[in-house]
């Protein structure tokens, strides 16, 4: 694969970013959805990008903070969009800041609005089929730099890495708890977090694991479980909030709905149905925080993680566990969900608790 991709159209829209898999995914969306007035170019090498924009008239440039100084004084670029972690940072420069870690649809909308304001371009035109530029070849990728989002640290231009201290009691919305590493106390961690947040605001805990061990964690059984709630949602009931209140139990001040007992039933629920359920709960009920204790068998797992305002990933420092963590993070990036990592907090669990559980099991 060459260092550049092109969509055969008129005008030039240049894209270059340090996060290779992330921008590959976004480039595909841009090239299919943006107006039919551009040729789209994707570069992974900033030097090749600079060579191109210095020699070729560029209508729109989408790049990142890391390359902003390089492109600052390049003349003739009509519109510059800069990926940033601080929306206010570039407003006084004429560049348009684009918050990196948000859904691709919102990024696309902000770019469309920026283009409309400057050029009044028709944004509904169909896009032609991609093809290679004729009569010109571009260098093969050399020195490709892949920068992976670090869950516990954020790398920002001009300052060293620093740990970000987060106060979960100030977060409102969906909080996801997920780990590719099992039997390390994830559910207990999720419940304790929910109980802590419940001291400040209404919280609902949902366990979306195939084998939740609900009888162990929730000995006080209620008459209905999560499956009944899904059924209620599908009935388009108007008394949704009242119905949920009749299903909930309480543990340490935190409300919960018993998990589904049959894993095969859990697997039949589609990802879009889960997302609709979560939206309905936050819109129609009293809860300000929804705690999701997520398992591997849930459909649409990555999309659910993306919907979370924060994701906690418990782990242990053990070779097999760290290998699973690495694979999970790489999978997120490769499938276009690398933005989930920017909202992820990794929580190291104590080995002692795991060893005690294992010893008890072996007795």
């Amino acid at each position: 694969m060459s260092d550049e991709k092109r969509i055969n159209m008129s005008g030039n829209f240049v894209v270059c970013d340090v996060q290779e898999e992330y921008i590959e995914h976004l480039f595909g969306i841009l090239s299919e959805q943006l107006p039919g007035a551009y040729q789209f170019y994707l570069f992974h090498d900033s030097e090749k990008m600079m060579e191109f924009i210095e020699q070729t008239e560029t209508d729109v440039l989408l790049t990142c903070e890391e390359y902003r100084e390089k492109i600052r004084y390049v003349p003739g670029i009509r519109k510059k969009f800069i990926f940033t972690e601080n929306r206010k940072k570039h407003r006084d420069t004429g560049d348009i800041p684009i918050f990196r870690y948000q859904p691709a649809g919102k990024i696309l909308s902000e770019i469309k609005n920026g283009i409309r304001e400057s050029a009044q371009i028709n944004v509904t035109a169909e896009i032609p089929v991609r093809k290679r530029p004729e009569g010109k070849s571009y260098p093969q990728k050399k020195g490709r730099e892949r920068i992976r989002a670090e869950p516990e640290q954020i790398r920002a231009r001009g300052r060293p890495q620093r740990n970000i201290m987060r106060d979960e009691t100030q977060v409102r919305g969906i909080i996801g708890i997920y780990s590719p590493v099992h039997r390390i106390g994830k559910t207990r961690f999720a419940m304790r977090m929910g109980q802590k947040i419940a001291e400040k605001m209404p919280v609902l805990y949902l366990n979306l694991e195939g084998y939740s061990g609900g009888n162990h964690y929730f000995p006080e059984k209620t008459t209905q479980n999560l499956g009944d709630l899904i059924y209620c949602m599908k009935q388009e009931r108007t008394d949704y909030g009242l119905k949920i209140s009749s299903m909930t139990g309480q543990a340490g001040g935190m409300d919960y709905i018993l998990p589904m007992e049959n894993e095969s039933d859990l697997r039949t629920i589609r990802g879009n149905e889960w997302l609709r359920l979560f939206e309905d709960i936050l819109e129609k009920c009293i809860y300000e925080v929804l705690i999701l204790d997520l398992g591997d068998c849930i459909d649409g797992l990555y999309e659910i993680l993306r919907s979370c305002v924060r994701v906690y990933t418990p782990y242990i420092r053990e070779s097999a566990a760290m290998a699973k963590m690495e694979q999970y993070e790489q999978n997120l990036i490769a499938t276009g969900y690398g933005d989930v990592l920017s909202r992820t907090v990794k929580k190291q669990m104590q080995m002692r608790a795991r060893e005690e559980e294992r010893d008890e099991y072996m007795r």
Side-chain angles (χ1 to χ4, degrees), residues 182-242:
H182 300 160
R183 290 187 57 80
I184 56 173
K186 176 176 70 72
T187 293
R188 205 172 296 276
F189 170 77
M191 293 183 64
R192 287 174 178 169
M193 174 180 292
Q195 290 166 0
K196 179 179 179 182
I197 299 175
E199 297 174 358
K200 301 289 183 71
M201 62 190 76
V203 176
L204 179 65
Y205 168 93
L206 298 180
N207 188 298
L208 276 66
E209 296 179 302
Y211 299 99
S212 61
N215 291 336
H216 174 73
Y217 294 105
F218 305 109
E220 181 185 345
K221 299 257 312 179
T222 59
T223 57
Q224 295 176 302
N225 62 29
L226 188 55
D228 297 300
L229 181 58
I230 292 289
Y231 177 79
C232 174
M233 177 193 72
K234 292 180 178 180
Q235 298 305 305
E236 303 287 349
R237 296 178 62 118
T238 58
D239 59 342
Y240 199 75
L242 182 62

Side-chain angles (χ1 to χ4, degrees), residues 207 209-212 225-228 230 257-269 274:
N207 188 298
E209 296 179 302
Y211 299 99
S212 61
N225 62 29
L226 188 55
D228 297 300
I230 292 289
I257 294 177
L258 284 176
M260 297 173 69
E261 295 181 352
N262 193 315
E263 188 213 20
S264 62
D265 290 342
L266 188 70
R267 290 180 182 273
T268 64
I269 310 301
W274 288 122

Side-chain angles (χ1 to χ4, degrees), residues 3 14-16 43-58 61 63 66-75 77 80:
D3 189 64
V14 176
V15 180
C16 186
F43 292 91
H44 296 308
D45 186 326
S46 64
E47 297 304 322
K48 299 301 180 185
M49 180 264 293
M50 289 299 299
E51 179 183 347
F52 181 88
I53 64 176
E54 286 172 351
Q55 298 177 6
T56 309
E57 182 177 355
T58 299
L61 174 64
T63 189
E66 287 83 351
Y67 299 154
R68 182 170 172 268
E69 288 301 317
K70 289 186 176 185
I71 57 98
R72 180 191 287 270
Y73 301 111
V74 177
I77 302 176
K80 298 177 186 175

